Amino acid sequence: MTSSSPETSVKIDPEVLEIQKKIYKELLLKQAGVKRGSKFLPIDLEPFKFQRHRLALPFTDEDRAARKQYLKDQLLSEREPVNVPEWNRVNIFRRIYRMPFDALTNLVRPIIGDHKSWYFRATIPKVTCTLILFWFAWYRIKYCDNWETHAKSVKSKAFRRQLWPGQPGFSTAWKVDDFGMEDFDKRTALLGDKLVTSGA
């Protein structure tokens, strides 16, 4: 005859459950970052990567030689890194965009060297595009501020004098011109009888 003890329900504190869920979520996120979409953890080829392993675990002469060889293999030779032009995984549009910068980089590579030319190639497109955008915006702000193109340009008063009532020239500074005059009344040519308004 066997006697079974009555089932006892253990009540867990909700705060403890929340802490456990938080820890479990952090662990899952950490594993997802390490695995990077794979089902398995990445293989680390470096023998005895951490110093605590070399001190705590048995570290034999064979292990020491293997680690020494691994560190030696990480040093690049004089011909590395090898540039393979055929290995170009860039679409046709990016290749067309990169042609001028690649040609310019090839010109300066013998002068500044391979290492500095890589930084030059990475920097020159950003500087060039930034300058072009800045010049375009500056041109639109400075020269396209009139009634005909105001819908397509940037309205700015940065190039106008700021005068307040009582200052000299205030009465003429804010004179309203005729509609569409566009400084035609300030012309220096075709004045008086020389003004021709018809094809005759």
Side-chain angles (χ1 to χ4, degrees), residues 78-93:
E78 296 180 355
R79 66 181 187 87
E80 293 177 323
V82 180
N83 183 21
V84 183
E86 292 77 10
W87 179 250
N88 192 351
R89 304 178 65 180
V90 181
N91 58 46
I92 182 63
F93 303 103

PDB file of all heavy atoms in Angstrom, residues 78-93:
ATOM      1  N   GLU A  78      53.781  40.834 -46.719  1.00  0.00           N
ATOM      2  CA  GLU A  78      53.953  42.082 -47.464  1.00  0.00           C
ATOM      3  C   GLU A  78      52.953  42.202 -48.615  1.00  0.00           C
ATOM      4  O   GLU A  78      52.609  43.306 -49.022  1.00  0.00           O
ATOM      5  CB  GLU A  78      55.380  42.169 -47.999  1.00  0.00           C
ATOM      6  CG  GLU A  78      56.437  42.242 -46.906  1.00  0.00           C
ATOM      7  CD  GLU A  78      57.826  42.317 -47.479  1.00  0.00           C
ATOM      8  OE1 GLU A  78      57.957  42.209 -48.722  1.00  0.00           O
ATOM      9  OE2 GLU A  78      58.781  42.482 -46.699  1.00  0.00           O
ATOM     10  N   ARG A  79      52.506  41.084 -49.153  1.00  0.00           N
ATOM     11  CA  ARG A  79      51.584  41.131 -50.289  1.00  0.00           C
ATOM     12  C   ARG A  79      50.118  41.139 -49.858  1.00  0.00           C
ATOM     13  O   ARG A  79      49.229  41.158 -50.704  1.00  0.00           O
ATOM     14  CB  ARG A  79      51.818  39.935 -51.203  1.00  0.00           C
ATOM     15  CG  ARG A  79      51.465  38.599 -50.573  1.00  0.00           C
ATOM     16  CD  ARG A  79      51.735  37.444 -51.521  1.00  0.00           C
ATOM     17  NE  ARG A  79      51.239  36.185 -50.996  1.00  0.00           N
ATOM     18  CZ  ARG A  79      49.998  35.738 -51.176  1.00  0.00           C
ATOM     19  NH1 ARG A  79      49.138  36.464 -51.865  1.00  0.00           N
ATOM     20  NH2 ARG A  79      49.609  34.582 -50.673  1.00  0.00           N
ATOM     21  N   GLU A  80      49.851  41.091 -48.570  1.00  0.00           N
ATOM     22  CA  GLU A  80      48.479  41.099 -48.077  1.00  0.00           C
ATOM     23  C   GLU A  80      48.116  42.482 -47.548  1.00  0.00           C
ATOM     24  O   GLU A  80      48.989  43.198 -47.051  1.00  0.00           O
ATOM     25  CB  GLU A  80      48.309  40.053 -46.968  1.00  0.00           C
ATOM     26  CG  GLU A  80      48.442  38.634 -47.458  1.00  0.00           C
ATOM     27  CD  GLU A  80      48.341  37.628 -46.329  1.00  0.00           C
ATOM     28  OE1 GLU A  80      48.854  37.927 -45.228  1.00  0.00           O
ATOM     29  OE2 GLU A  80      47.767  36.561 -46.540  1.00  0.00           O
ATOM     30  N   PRO A  81      46.846  42.873 -47.607  1.00  0.00           N
ATOM     31  CA  PRO A  81      45.717  42.155 -48.213  1.00  0.00           C
ATOM     32  C   PRO A  81      45.778  42.178 -49.740  1.00  0.00           C
ATOM     33  O   PRO A  81      46.253  43.136 -50.332  1.00  0.00           O
ATOM     34  CB  PRO A  81      44.499  42.922 -47.699  1.00  0.00           C
ATOM     35  CG  PRO A  81      45.007  44.296 -47.451  1.00  0.00           C
ATOM     36  CD  PRO A  81      46.427  44.139 -46.992  1.00  0.00           C
ATOM     37  N   VAL A  82      45.298  41.124 -50.351  1.00  0.00           N
ATOM     38  CA  VAL A  82      45.344  40.970 -51.799  1.00  0.00           C
ATOM     39  C   VAL A  82      44.081  41.576 -52.398  1.00  0.00           C
ATOM     40  O   VAL A  82      42.967  41.247 -51.986  1.00  0.00           O
ATOM     41  CB  VAL A  82      45.467  39.485 -52.190  1.00  0.00           C
ATOM     42  CG1 VAL A  82      45.507  39.342 -53.703  1.00  0.00           C
ATOM     43  CG2 VAL A  82      46.702  38.879 -51.548  1.00  0.00           C
ATOM     44  N   ASN A  83      44.261  42.467 -53.349  1.00  0.00           N
ATOM     45  CA  ASN A  83      43.136  43.101 -54.029  1.00  0.00           C
ATOM     46  C   ASN A  83      42.831  42.325 -55.307  1.00  0.00           C
ATOM     47  O   ASN A  83      43.669  42.237 -56.206  1.00  0.00           O
ATOM     48  CB  ASN A  83      43.461  44.561 -54.351  1.00  0.00           C
ATOM     49  CG  ASN A  83      42.289  45.271 -54.994  1.00  0.00           C
ATOM     50  OD1 ASN A  83      41.140  44.843 -54.857  1.00  0.00           O
ATOM     51  ND2 ASN A  83      42.555  46.353 -55.694  1.00  0.00           N
ATOM     52  N   VAL A  84      41.627  41.766 -55.382  1.00  0.00           N
ATOM     53  CA  VAL A  84      41.203  40.992 -56.547  1.00  0.00           C
ATOM     54  C   VAL A  84      40.152  41.811 -57.296  1.00  0.00           C
ATOM     55  O   VAL A  84      39.010  41.923 -56.849  1.00  0.00           O
ATOM     56  CB  VAL A  84      40.621  39.626 -56.132  1.00  0.00           C
ATOM     57  CG1 VAL A  84      40.242  38.810 -57.365  1.00  0.00           C
ATOM     58  CG2 VAL A  84      41.616  38.867 -55.266  1.00  0.00           C
ATOM     59  N   PRO A  85      40.516  42.443 -58.418  1.00  0.00           N
ATOM     60  CA  PRO A  85      39.539  43.277 -59.137  1.00  0.00           C
ATOM     61  C   PRO A  85      38.331  42.496 -59.629  1.00  0.00           C
ATOM     62  O   PRO A  85      37.234  43.046 -59.734  1.00  0.00           O
ATOM     63  CB  PRO A  85      40.353  43.847 -60.311  1.00  0.00           C
ATOM     64  CG  PRO A  85      41.786  43.715 -59.898  1.00  0.00           C
ATOM     65  CD  PRO A  85      41.840  42.483 -59.047  1.00  0.00           C
ATOM     66  N   GLU A  86      38.521  41.211 -59.963  1.00  0.00           N
ATOM     67  CA  GLU A  86      37.396  40.426 -60.468  1.00  0.00           C
ATOM     68  C   GLU A  86      36.357  40.158 -59.389  1.00  0.00           C
ATOM     69  O   GLU A  86      35.195  39.888 -59.694  1.00  0.00           O
ATOM     70  CB  GLU A  86      37.893  39.090 -61.040  1.00  0.00           C
ATOM     71  CG  GLU A  86      38.709  39.217 -62.307  1.00  0.00           C
ATOM     72  CD  GLU A  86      40.125  39.687 -62.037  1.00  0.00           C
ATOM     73  OE1 GLU A  86      40.506  39.726 -60.838  1.00  0.00           O
ATOM     74  OE2 GLU A  86      40.848  40.018 -62.999  1.00  0.00           O
ATOM     75  N   TRP A  87      36.782  40.205 -58.126  1.00  0.00           N
ATOM     76  CA  TRP A  87      35.849  39.943 -57.025  1.00  0.00           C
ATOM     77  C   TRP A  87      35.174  41.264 -56.655  1.00  0.00           C
ATOM     78  O   TRP A  87      35.521  41.940 -55.715  1.00  0.00           O
ATOM     79  CB  TRP A  87      36.589  39.353 -55.830  1.00  0.00           C
ATOM     80  CG  TRP A  87      35.723  39.075 -54.642  1.00  0.00           C
ATOM     81  CD1 TRP A  87      35.722  39.738 -53.459  1.00  0.00           C
ATOM     82  CD2 TRP A  87      34.730  38.056 -54.516  1.00  0.00           C
ATOM     83  NE1 TRP A  87      34.803  39.215 -52.602  1.00  0.00           N
ATOM     84  CE2 TRP A  87      34.169  38.173 -53.225  1.00  0.00           C
ATOM     85  CE3 TRP A  87      34.247  37.070 -55.364  1.00  0.00           C
ATOM     86  CZ2 TRP A  87      33.160  37.336 -52.771  1.00  0.00           C
ATOM     87  CZ3 TRP A  87      33.242  36.234 -54.898  1.00  0.00           C
ATOM     88  CH2 TRP A  87      32.712  36.369 -53.627  1.00  0.00           C
ATOM     89  N   ASN A  88      34.186  41.631 -57.460  1.00  0.00           N
ATOM     90  CA  ASN A  88      33.514  42.919 -57.299  1.00  0.00           C
ATOM     91  C   ASN A  88      32.021  42.663 -57.187  1.00  0.00           C
ATOM     92  O   ASN A  88      31.345  42.403 -58.178  1.00  0.00           O
ATOM     93  CB  ASN A  88      33.810  43.827 -58.496  1.00  0.00           C
ATOM     94  CG  ASN A  88      33.383  45.257 -58.229  1.00  0.00           C
ATOM     95  OD1 ASN A  88      32.727  45.541 -57.232  1.00  0.00           O
ATOM     96  ND2 ASN A  88      33.754  46.149 -59.120  1.00  0.00           N
ATOM     97  N   ARG A  89      31.513  42.717 -55.976  1.00  0.00           N
ATOM     98  CA  ARG A  89      30.097  42.439 -55.748  1.00  0.00           C
ATOM     99  C   ARG A  89      29.316  43.750 -55.656  1.00  0.00           C
ATOM    100  O   ARG A  89      28.622  44.023 -54.688  1.00  0.00           O
ATOM    101  CB  ARG A  89      29.933  41.619 -54.474  1.00  0.00           C
ATOM    102  CG  ARG A  89      30.729  40.337 -54.480  1.00  0.00           C
ATOM    103  CD  ARG A  89      30.596  39.576 -53.197  1.00  0.00           C
ATOM    104  NE  ARG A  89      29.243  39.105 -52.971  1.00  0.00           N
ATOM    105  CZ  ARG A  89      28.876  38.403 -51.901  1.00  0.00           C
ATOM    106  NH1 ARG A  89      29.769  38.110 -50.974  1.00  0.00           N
ATOM    107  NH2 ARG A  89      27.633  38.008 -51.757  1.00  0.00           N
ATOM    108  N   VAL A  90      29.438  44.580 -56.685  1.00  0.00           N
ATOM    109  CA  VAL A  90      28.770  45.877 -56.728  1.00  0.00           C
ATOM    110  C   VAL A  90      27.956  45.943 -58.012  1.00  0.00           C
ATOM    111  O   VAL A  90      28.447  45.557 -59.082  1.00  0.00           O
ATOM    112  CB  VAL A  90      29.794  47.033 -56.668  1.00  0.00           C
ATOM    113  CG1 VAL A  90      29.087  48.372 -56.688  1.00  0.00           C
ATOM    114  CG2 VAL A  90      30.649  46.916 -55.419  1.00  0.00           C
ATOM    115  N   ASN A  91      26.728  46.448 -57.922  1.00  0.00           N
ATOM    116  CA  ASN A  91      25.880  46.508 -59.105  1.00  0.00           C
ATOM    117  C   ASN A  91      26.384  47.583 -60.070  1.00  0.00           C
ATOM    118  O   ASN A  91      27.268  48.381 -59.760  1.00  0.00           O
ATOM    119  CB  ASN A  91      24.417  46.761 -58.715  1.00  0.00           C
ATOM    120  CG  ASN A  91      24.248  48.039 -57.928  1.00  0.00           C
ATOM    121  OD1 ASN A  91      24.789  49.077 -58.292  1.00  0.00           O
ATOM    122  ND2 ASN A  91      23.503  47.983 -56.838  1.00  0.00           N
ATOM    123  N   ILE A  92      25.771  47.617 -61.253  1.00  0.00           N
ATOM    124  CA  ILE A  92      26.252  48.480 -62.328  1.00  0.00           C
ATOM    125  C   ILE A  92      26.120  49.953 -61.973  1.00  0.00           C
ATOM    126  O   ILE A  92      26.962  50.782 -62.339  1.00  0.00           O
ATOM    127  CB  ILE A  92      25.490  48.155 -63.638  1.00  0.00           C
ATOM    128  CG1 ILE A  92      26.002  49.001 -64.794  1.00  0.00           C
ATOM    129  CG2 ILE A  92      23.998  48.342 -63.449  1.00  0.00           C
ATOM    130  CD1 ILE A  92      27.437  48.752 -65.157  1.00  0.00           C
ATOM    131  N   PHE A  93      25.076  50.317 -61.232  1.00  0.00           N
ATOM    132  CA  PHE A  93      24.875  51.728 -60.888  1.00  0.00           C
ATOM    133  C   PHE A  93      25.946  52.213 -59.914  1.00  0.00           C
ATOM    134  O   PHE A  93      26.469  53.325 -60.058  1.00  0.00           O
ATOM    135  CB  PHE A  93      23.477  51.920 -60.287  1.00  0.00           C
ATOM    136  CG  PHE A  93      22.373  51.468 -61.186  1.00  0.00           C
ATOM    137  CD1 PHE A  93      21.721  50.269 -60.959  1.00  0.00           C
ATOM    138  CD2 PHE A  93      21.998  52.225 -62.285  1.00  0.00           C
ATOM    139  CE1 PHE A  93      20.708  49.841 -61.789  1.00  0.00           C
ATOM    140  CE2 PHE A  93      20.986  51.810 -63.126  1.00  0.00           C
ATOM    141  CZ  PHE A  93      20.335  50.611 -62.882  1.00  0.00           C
TER     142      PHE A  93
END
